[in-house]
Amino acid sequence: MHRTTTASALVVVLAALFVPNAAVAQLAAAERGSAVHSDQRPIPYPVEVSAGFERALERGTRTRTGEPGPNYWQQWTDYRISARLDAAAKRIDGTVQLVYHNRSPRPLPFVVLQLLQNVHAEGAVRNRPAEVTGGMEVKRLVAQGEELEELGSGRMTGGGYRVFGTSLQLRLPRALQSGDSAVLEVDFGFDIPQRGGGSRMGWSRDNFFYLAYWYPQMAVLDDVVGWQSDPFLGGAEFYMGYGSYDVTLEVPEGWVAMGTGRLANTDQVLPDEIAARLRRAESSDTVVHILTTADFGPGTATRRTDNGYLSWHFVADSVRDVAYSISRESMWDAARTPVGDRNGDGQTEYARVDAIYRETAPRWTQAWRYAQHAIDFLSRWTGFPYPWPHMTAVEGEDVMGGGMEYPMMTLIGSFTQAGDTALYGVTAHELAHMWVPMIVGNDERRRAWMDEGTTSFNTSAAENEFFPGRRWELDNYRGYLQISRTDLEGEMMRWSDFHTNGAAYGTASYTKPATLLWTLHGLLGEETFQEAYQTYIRNWAYKHPKPWDFFNTFNSVSGQNLDWFWRSWYYETWTLDQAVKDVTLDARGTKIVVEDRGLAPMPVRLTLTLADGSSTSVEIPVTTWLEGVRTAEVVVSTASPVTKVEIDAEQVFPDVDPANNVWERR
């Protein structure tokens, strides 16, 4: 409750101390808001979970309080990848060895891999245009020591595999028992599209490559859905399992690689002076220019070799993917940033932040500073210190116009024309994705709002600190409200690839869920909201939450059944429209009649301004509307006349028609 009292207001409350019990009850009801049963309204019905989630509850892998259950399990993969970039041919070829650990309680006769580059195959099903480059070539596949062949039509009875769009379904020679592991090995290759993976990877000019979604990867098997093999159509994004990675990239001399993980052979690929600058940056609070235009070329930016190629070795643990930038004319700025106490020993830890950009992106000279603030702030805001050794922002104009996230990496356009606030905003947004979905590993393919909406919420919080003086979250409010006043909106709980238009997808994935988190923040208050929010992140770090885990966490931590909120806002396209219908004086005081013209129920927070300049607040609880009524009244006695009544003066709740929220005495 947000209730404030001034000395001259709410005499009704004081008078209640001196009147009979029946009158006290009457006055208390008046203060709460009395229901006027007139035009009936729909009442939100309880939140229903999916059949798979219900089974998970029964099996003890999930709970009704939001934590992972005592029987929660999750698969794990150890990757060893070696690949070579042919910069002239714009092609990558390599081998990936996967050790897949079956931590599920049942044997697996088959497994599923993702071949995301197949969105570029001839005849691929897509929901946005894409270059046709042939997709992923599977040259050789070995499972459990046996080389397998691609199967034709018909039933899969022996070991072998079939490719269905962006999925490869592999029948193992022997079922993989619970608690056991299987070794798979795949030789692969593909021609790199210029703007691939829905403009999330590719190449630019003759000096830049960005490798993402570039190797055969295990699909997710979870305790709710089973195998998540929904096709990648180019729009809705990704769902990836966690694992360890050991990656060796062979790259031409003079080309600098940076990516997910720790560079394990710095001194073998970087000249002494460049390596020294990199180490200096890791203990510097101000920028260190690791690479400048004077350093470009073999022998200056990188070491030289006999065969013209350098092997860059990266290792990473507890990540869901790996991505790499490879550039021969990008500058590199770096510094450190505090991330908080990772180890619980009271000591502040640090991570390195990088900005890698070309001369054609002049605004990027400040990108290191934007990344430095964002990682610091988000570690504090989420209560979860950034866990990895570096966070690298990469300029990739011609490949990416906005921004895209990958573990420890982000690819962003130049933003030359957009301005510094826009570049900070997109940088903070993509870096906020390190928490969701990189740490909290939700299914983006089906529920984009769980990461994009949460990340948009985190972004505006970061912007509020970096650019104080305005409420950046109201940009999301305005974006959501603009679409909510049309017929374009779709339900947030609809699977992301199945929205009927781009506005529906964007609203359900970004602006509306971000707005609702700020609404929930205002509804519950800072302390309760932050406790619930940080509990959710902590409980589901490196795990796979579903929407009901999120809902249940907030219900449990707040001690409230918020199903009315989840049902009204997440499952429906209902809108909020509260109005001051009438303000009159009677023997009891000032009577305020509020009408709820929308369908989404919310508390009514009234701010009363008095003639003497003071103000007071009173709230009509949401339970009033959950009785099915349309109007409610509240009577307040004040020592000074009421001159103004305003609903939600703090702009906490997204009301579609704020013009009817104010009454003023004329």
Side-chain angles (χ1 to χ4, degrees):
M1 288 231 182
H2 289 241
R3 187 184 298 277
T4 59
T5 308
T6 62
S8 62
L10 288 184
V11 176
V12 164
V13 176
L14 298 177
L17 299 174
F18 307 102
V19 295
N21 289 340
V24 170
Q26 181 181 12
L27 288 169
E31 188 202 346
R32 287 195 307 271
S34 58
V36 179
H37 289 263
S38 55
D39 187 16
Q40 291 293 307
R41 61 172 301 146
I43 300 173
Y45 49 97
V47 168
E48 296 175 347
V49 303
S50 72
F53 193 86
E54 190 64 50
R55 288 191 294 270
L57 293 171
E58 295 168 359
R59 294 167 178 163
T61 59
R62 309 271 164 160
T63 67
R64 297 188 188 278
T65 53
E67 306 101 331
N71 299 326
Y72 181 81
W73 55 266
Q74 191 168 294
Q75 306 294 70
W76 181 270
T77 308
D78 296 308
Y79 293 88
R80 183 177 293 274
I81 306 173
S82 60
R84 172 177 280 202
L85 171 68
D86 186 332
K90 296 182 174 58
R91 182 174 173 86
I92 190 86
D93 289 279
T95 298
V96 55
Q97 183 188 79
L98 311 89
V99 182
Y100 184 65
H101 300 267
N102 182 15
R103 296 175 174 176
S104 79
R106 61 184 186 273
L108 302 177
F110 70 93
V111 296
V112 180
L113 283 75
Q114 297 188 90
L115 305 179
L116 297 173
Q117 282 298 315
N118 278 355
V119 75
H120 297 283
E122 185 73 41
V125 177
R126 296 182 283 265
N127 59 13
R128 60 172 62 183
E131 301 165 55
V132 176
T133 57
M136 180 78 74
E137 179 185 351
V138 176
K139 304 175 185 178
R140 183 180 67 99
L141 192 154
V142 176
Q144 297 173 317
E146 296 184 23
E147 186 167 347
L148 303 181
E149 300 293 331
E150 185 169 7
L151 301 173
S153 59
R155 186 177 178 184
M156 295 174 66
T157 54
Y161 68 91
R162 285 200 193 119
V163 176
F164 299 91
T166 55
S167 291
L168 184 152
Q169 297 187 9
L170 168 63
R171 175 167 286 278
L172 296 166
R174 298 172 300 282
L176 176 58
Q177 299 301 312
S178 176
D180 203 352
S181 62
V183 179
L184 313 178
E185 191 169 294
V186 186
D187 293 343
F188 67 94
F190 63 92
D191 294 332
I192 302 172
Q194 197 268 312
R195 293 170 65 94
S199 295
R200 299 176 177 95
M201 57 85 63
W203 55 269
S204 170
R205 306 162 205 168
D206 63 349
N207 60 9
F208 178 80
F209 289 89
Y210 200 90
L211 293 182
Y213 322 116
W214 60 283
Y215 59 95
Q217 182 185 37
M218 295 303 304
V220 175
L221 172 71
D222 69 30
D223 61 311
V224 175
V225 174
W227 285 107
Q228 216 295 24
S229 56
D230 297 355
F232 174 54
L233 305 178
E237 293 180 341
F238 308 102
Y239 188 26
M240 296 167 169
Y242 290 96
S244 68
Y245 286 81
D246 187 305
V247 180
T248 300
L249 289 176
E250 290 186 75
V251 174
E253 290 178 353
W255 292 73
V256 175
M258 182 48 60
T260 306
R262 176 178 59 85
L263 179 59
N265 64 336
T266 301
D267 293 326
Q268 284 72 53
V269 293
L270 294 178
D272 292 344
E273 174 58 26
I274 304 300
R277 295 175 196 169
L278 179 59
R279 294 187 180 100
R280 189 162 66 250
E282 291 174 344
S283 59
S284 175
D285 296 322
T286 57
V287 65
V288 174
H289 303 295
I290 296 173
L291 283 178
T292 68
T293 55
D295 300 310
F296 296 158
T300 51
T302 71
R303 293 191 179 274
R304 303 193 73 103
T305 62
D306 294 335
N307 66 357
Y309 276 82
L310 283 166
S311 293
W312 296 71
H313 184 199
F314 296 89
V315 292
D317 190 37
S318 298
V319 295
R320 64 175 219 157
D321 193 15
V322 288
Y324 299 93
S325 71
I326 303 166
S327 176
R328 64 184 179 90
E329 291 179 339
S330 290
M331 293 175 284
W332 182 0
D333 295 339
R336 72 173 185 174
T337 192
V339 299
D341 180 8
R342 286 175 176 151
N343 303 316
D345 59 5
Q347 301 298 310
T348 298
E349 301 290 331
Y350 293 85
R352 190 186 77 242
V353 293
D354 305 311
I356 295 175
Y357 59 99
R358 292 169 289 184
E359 282 189 291
T360 51
R363 292 194 186 278
W364 275 71
T365 58
Q366 296 300 306
W368 69 273
R369 187 168 64 92
Y370 300 159
Q372 186 182 56
H373 172 265
I375 291 296
D376 171 21
F377 172 82
L378 292 162
S379 295
R380 291 182 276 115
W381 175 252
T382 63
F384 198 99
Y386 182 78
W388 296 305
H390 72 89
M391 179 66 231
T392 300
V394 179
E395 173 268 316
E397 190 71 13
D398 303 326
V399 177
M400 168 59 64
M404 185 62 199
E405 70 280 359
Y406 321 81
M408 305 181 222
M409 298 289 288
T410 182
L411 179 66
I412 300 173
S414 69
F415 279 71
T416 301
Q417 304 301 321
D420 294 329
T421 55
L423 181 55
Y424 174 84
V426 72
T427 302
H429 181 95
E430 304 311 332
L431 271 55
H433 273 302
M434 297 307 107
W435 281 264
V436 191
M438 302 307 164
I439 294 170
V440 179
N442 63 279
D443 181 352
E444 300 177 273
R445 191 69 49 82
R446 295 189 179 186
R447 314 287 187 188
W449 63 265
M450 292 187 71
D451 67 288
E452 294 295 356
T454 304
T455 293
S456 297
F457 166 75
N458 288 338
T459 302
S460 53
E463 290 171 318
N464 284 339
E465 181 173 279
F466 197 76
F467 297 110
R470 59 168 287 192
R471 291 176 58 188
W472 289 86
E473 71 271 17
L474 295 181
D475 291 349
N476 284 312
Y477 278 61
R478 286 186 283 268
Y480 156 63
L481 290 172
Q482 181 180 14
I483 299 301
S484 73
R485 298 183 183 113
T486 72
D487 294 327
L488 297 175
E489 190 184 351
E491 305 87 353
M492 280 172 51
M493 286 291 283
R494 184 180 299 199
W495 286 11
S496 300
D497 265 324
F498 293 91
H499 283 287
T500 57
N501 59 79
Y505 173 83
T507 302
S509 302
Y510 292 83
T511 56
K512 184 175 181 180
T515 295
L516 294 182
L517 284 174
W518 282 111
T519 299
L520 197 58
H521 180 275
L523 181 69
L524 299 177
E526 170 81 16
E527 184 176 351
T528 300
F529 176 88
Q530 284 297 95
E531 183 184 356
Y533 185 55
Q534 294 183 4
T535 296
Y536 168 71
I537 292 172
R538 185 169 58 251
N539 284 345
W540 289 98
Y542 310 110
K543 297 182 179 70
H544 298 305
K546 302 299 180 184
W548 308 282
D549 299 307
F550 173 77
F551 300 157
N552 289 339
T553 298
F554 272 83
N555 287 353
S556 178
V557 173
S558 70
Q560 302 179 41
N561 184 347
L562 297 168
D563 280 9
W564 61 269
F565 184 86
W566 313 125
R567 173 61 71 177
S568 300
W569 291 103
Y570 288 72
Y571 285 82
E572 311 288 349
T573 56
W574 293 355
T575 56
L576 174 69
D577 184 11
Q578 298 171 344
V580 181
K581 185 178 182 181
D582 195 20
V583 179
T584 57
L585 287 173
D586 63 20
R588 298 173 297 165
T590 302
K591 182 173 74 172
I592 304 164
V593 179
V594 175
E595 184 176 21
D596 196 349
R597 299 176 181 176
L599 296 178
M602 291 294 289
V604 182
R605 292 178 176 171
L606 295 168
T607 299
L608 282 61
T609 302
L610 310 183
D612 63 5
S614 64
S615 65
T616 187
S617 299
V618 65
E619 182 168 307
I620 299 173
V622 70
T623 51
T624 301
W625 311 121
L626 297 180
E627 295 175 6
V629 302
R630 279 292 184 187
T631 59
E633 64 182 42
V634 60
V635 178
V636 179
S637 179
T638 58
S640 179
V642 174
T643 59
K644 181 180 179 181
V645 176
E646 184 173 5
I647 295 173
D648 189 25
E650 296 178 348
Q651 287 185 278
V652 173
F653 303 149
D655 193 304
V656 295
D657 187 8
N660 59 29
N661 287 8
V662 181
W663 172 90
E664 292 191 74
R665 186 177 299 280
R666 295 209 181 354

